[in-house]
């Protein structure tokens, strides 16, 4: 043997030793009709439990029957194109287990037989596949939980949405049966609220006490339970089989509970009932299933409680609306009756002998009509904040109409979307009514050719206000004394007191292109 031959032989021995020690299976196979193995490394024994000699003839029988068509197609494609071969498939271990392998090979010429060979490696990827499957399941679980939360948040039709969500859960877990039991507040017993295919009617007469059966046990101890076999657990009642028309062999049961927060601290969990999933096979449920169902049960519990609160609020609102409507109706009738009595008294009183009495009656009628007007506006808004513009406009026009002046008055009010509260509206109604009544009396005395009444509504971050401006043409001696006359009236003292104490504001009187009463007060609607 020459030196070169000796050196090549040594290289082959070293190369073979290296290949047969790396933690993968290496092989050489013909790339043809039968894809016969020519060599496979001893690692086949370590990874799959087969002897290398037997593997050369039996390798096709290892591959999972569902994966073989894809493997064969990939081999034929490499044969046709000369491109590298790659496939992931399941291989049966000698002990019967199925393991995942990544198979990668390079296409090289067969110098001896003028064909093609595959020189490849097989890497065990079973752990990676398990992780991928776990991750895929977790992603599906998160998607399911997210979709369930969105559905519960977006509707108050709880029963319909709950059926949809639980049907999706059953499809995901590949089971057919579920029931939901709720604790009745009055008795503390559990009754069936929902069941698959509307089978809750089968449990219509059932009432389970706390601790009774599996459902009662879970509700009493507030603990989830997985029963691998119902026949070996005394807590399961066989009458469930009769009611459902099925034989239940395994159960996953979780409490429907949620935690309340009081003064930034969580209180003890509040149990509303029990969600129970059932399967017809032994050992059907796993800890992974429990990890999915527990947060879903919390979401369902919160949705049920929110639905109960919504229904209670709706009932309370209906009761409140009924009572408020009755109160509004009675107040309106009383104010109308008072106004009617005052009109009757006014018509009966002697007009020549008691002019002051007539003035007092007319003032009372104006004030009560102003109150009736603002009451009507607030009733229509269900006593919610209303626009300042609406109050100003209605009171001014109502007062002018009630005063029955034969003078022509042009009224201008700047539009505004500023909102005020019901209390502010009542106080402003009195202020506007008194101001308008005073100016109307002065107009009757002065009798100008033209009168303009303008209200400019203004607002900023700190104050709300309006400028009440009266301009009269052909001023007489009396018209220049409007401010002095207003300040001397008892009504002005009332106006000033209402603005300062009730509205926490201020009123300013001055002459500027007419007589101006500027009113400012603090906003309460933000």
């Amino acid at each position: 043997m020459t030196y070169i031959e000796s050196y090549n032989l040594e290289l082959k021995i070293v190369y073979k030793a290296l290949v047969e020690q790396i933690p993968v299976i290496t092989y050489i196979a013909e790339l043809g009709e039968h894809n016969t193995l020519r060599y496979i490394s001893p690692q086949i024994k370590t990874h799959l439990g087969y002897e290398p000699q037997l593997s050369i003839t039996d390798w096709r029988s290892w591959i999972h029957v569902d994966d073989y068509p894809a493997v064969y197609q990939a081999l034929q494609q490499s044969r046709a194109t000369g491109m590298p071969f790659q496939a992931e498939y399941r291989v049966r271990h000698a002990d019967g287990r199925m393991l995942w392998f990544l198979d990668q090979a390079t296409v090289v010429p067969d110098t001896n037989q003028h064909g093609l060979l595959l020189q490849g490696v097989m890497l065990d990827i079973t752990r990676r596949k398990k992780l991928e499957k776990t991750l895929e399941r977790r992603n599906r679980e998160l998607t399911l939980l997210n979709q369930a939360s969105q559905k519960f948040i977006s509707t108050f039709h709880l029963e319909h949405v709950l059926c949809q969500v639980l049907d999706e859960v059953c499809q995901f877990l590949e089971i057919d049966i579920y029931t939901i039991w709720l604790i009745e507040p009055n008795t503390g017993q559990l009754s069936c609220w929902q069941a698959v295919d509307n089978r809750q009617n089968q449990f219509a007469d059932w009432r389970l006490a706390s601790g009774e059966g599996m459902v009662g046990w879970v509700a009493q101890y507030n603990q989830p339970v997985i029963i691998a076999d119902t026949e070996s657990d005394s807590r399961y009642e066989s009458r469930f089989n009769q009611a459902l028309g099925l034989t239940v062999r395994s159960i996953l049961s979780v409490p429907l509970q949620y935690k309340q927060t009081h003064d930034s601290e969580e209180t003890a969990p509040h149990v509303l009932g029990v969600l129970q999933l059932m399967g017809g096979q032994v050992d059907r449920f796993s800890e992974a299933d429990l990890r999915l169902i527990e947060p879903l049960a919390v979401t369902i519990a919160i949705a049920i409680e929110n639905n109960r609160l919504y229904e209670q609020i709706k009932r309370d609102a209906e009761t409140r609306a009924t009572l408020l409507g009755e109160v509004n109706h009675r107040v309106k009738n009383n104010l109308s009756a008072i106004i009617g009595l005052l009109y009757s008294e006014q018509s009966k009183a002697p007009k020549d002998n008691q002019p002051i009495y007539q003035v007092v009656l007319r003032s009372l009628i104006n004030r009560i009509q102003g109150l009736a007007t603002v009451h009507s506006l607030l009733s229509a808004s269900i006593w919610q904040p209303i626009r300042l513009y609406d109050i100003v406009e209605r009171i001014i026009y109502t007062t002018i109409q009630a005063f029955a002046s034969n003078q022509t008055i042009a009224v201008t009010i700047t539009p505004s979307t500023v909102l005020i509260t019901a209390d502010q509206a009542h106080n402003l109604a009195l202020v506007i009514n008194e101001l308008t009544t005073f100016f109307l009396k002065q107009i009757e005395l002065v009798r100008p050719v033209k009168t303009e009444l303008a209200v400019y509504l203004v607002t900023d971050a700190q104050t709300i206000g309006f400028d009440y401006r009266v301009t009269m043409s052909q001023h007489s001696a009396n018209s220049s004394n409007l401010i002095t006359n207003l300040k001397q009236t008892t009504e002005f003292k009332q106006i000033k007191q209402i603005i300062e104490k009730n509205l926490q504001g201020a009123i300013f009187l001055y002459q500027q292109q007419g007589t101006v009463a500027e009113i400012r007060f603090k906003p309460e609607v933000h």
Side-chain angles (χ1 to χ4, degrees), residues 199-214:
R199 296 185 187 179
Q200 60 268 25
N201 295 329
Q202 304 294 330
F203 304 95
D205 298 329
W206 287 32
R207 294 296 182 274
L208 301 177
S210 178
E212 181 182 355
M214 178 54 60

Side-chain angles (χ1 to χ4, degrees), residues 31 73-85 107 116 118:
L31 186 55
Q73 183 178 359
L75 287 169
Q76 296 305 311
Q77 185 175 1
S78 294
R79 178 185 178 188
T81 63
M83 298 298 293
F85 165 78
V107 180
L116 295 175
L118 285 175

Side-chain angles (χ1 to χ4, degrees), residues 2 24 130 147 176 202 230 262 353 357 378 434 441 449:
T2 64
V24 294
K130 288 181 178 179
Q147 290 176 346
D176 299 320
Q202 304 294 330
T230 57
H262 181 69
N353 300 331
Y357 183 58
L378 290 170
E434 293 297 340
K441 290 178 182 178
V449 174

Side-chain angles (χ1 to χ4, degrees), residues 34-262:
H34 304 291
N35 302 310
T36 304
L37 278 174
R38 289 192 181 178
Y39 166 79
I40 193 162
S41 64
Q43 288 91 329
I44 188 72
K45 177 70 174 178
T46 305
H47 288 280
L48 289 171
Y50 298 112
E51 295 294 338
Q53 297 82 359
L54 296 176
S55 303
I56 290 178
T57 57
D58 296 339
W59 70 272
R60 293 181 186 85
S61 61
W62 313 337
I63 301 176
H64 194 287
V65 63
D66 293 339
D67 297 339
Y68 184 79
V71 174
Y72 182 79
Q73 183 178 359
L75 287 169
Q76 296 305 311
Q77 185 175 1
S78 294
R79 178 185 178 188
T81 63
M83 298 298 293
F85 165 78
Q86 179 172 314
E88 293 182 1
Y89 52 89
R90 287 163 290 181
V91 179
R92 189 180 68 255
H93 192 280
D95 61 10
R97 290 179 296 142
M98 280 292 175
L99 304 179
W100 277 94
F101 275 83
L102 169 62
D103 191 342
Q104 293 177 310
T106 302
V107 180
V108 298
D110 183 355
T111 55
N112 295 330
Q113 298 185 15
H114 308 290
L116 295 175
L117 295 176
L118 285 175
Q119 293 181 348
V121 295
M122 294 173 60
L123 176 65
D124 188 344
I125 59 170
T126 304
R127 185 171 180 274
R128 191 198 82 188
K129 283 292 185 179
K130 288 181 178 179
L131 291 174
E132 287 177 355
K133 187 175 181 180
T134 301
L135 181 60
E136 180 185 1
R137 177 190 168 95
R138 190 55 182 160
N139 287 337
R140 290 177 61 195
E141 289 176 354
L142 292 174
T143 299
L144 184 61
L145 290 173
N146 181 61
Q147 290 176 346
S149 299
Q150 293 297 323
K151 288 178 179 178
F152 287 133
I153 291 171
S154 62
T155 183
F156 287 107
H157 300 293
L158 183 59
E159 294 185 20
H160 176 68
V161 172
L162 190 57
C163 287
Q164 284 185 335
V165 170
L166 290 177
D167 285 345
E168 291 173 2
V169 170
C170 289
Q171 185 177 2
F172 178 80
L173 296 179
E174 298 180 352
I175 60 172
D176 299 320
I177 315 168
Y178 69 81
T179 57
I180 292 181
W181 298 76
L182 296 184
I183 299 174
E184 296 178 347
N186 297 331
T187 64
Q189 294 179 320
L190 291 123
S191 60
C192 187
W193 183 58
Q194 282 284 341
V196 65
D197 296 334
N198 295 318
R199 296 185 187 179
Q200 60 268 25
N201 295 329
Q202 304 294 330
F203 304 95
D205 298 329
W206 287 32
R207 294 296 182 274
L208 301 177
S210 178
E212 181 182 355
M214 178 54 60
V215 172
W217 190 94
V218 172
Q220 180 180 13
Y221 293 100
N222 191 21
Q223 293 291 330
V225 171
I226 296 176
I227 298 180
D229 188 356
T230 57
E231 293 185 0
S232 61
D233 196 306
S234 60
R235 292 172 295 183
Y236 179 71
E237 298 181 84
S238 59
R239 57 176 177 158
F240 272 89
N241 294 345
Q242 298 173 356
L244 293 168
L246 298 167
T247 301
V248 176
R249 293 302 305 273
S250 55
I251 292 178
L252 169 58
S253 193
V254 294
L256 295 173
Q257 62 168 332
Y258 67 95
K259 293 183 179 180
Q260 296 176 313
T261 302
H262 181 69

Side-chain angles (χ1 to χ4, degrees), residues 11-31:
L11 282 178
K12 289 180 180 179
I13 294 172
V14 171
Y15 177 75
K16 183 178 181 182
L18 176 64
V19 167
E20 294 182 353
Q21 290 178 12
I22 59 177
V24 294
I25 302 170
T26 58
Y27 67 88
I28 299 174
E30 296 177 3
L31 186 55

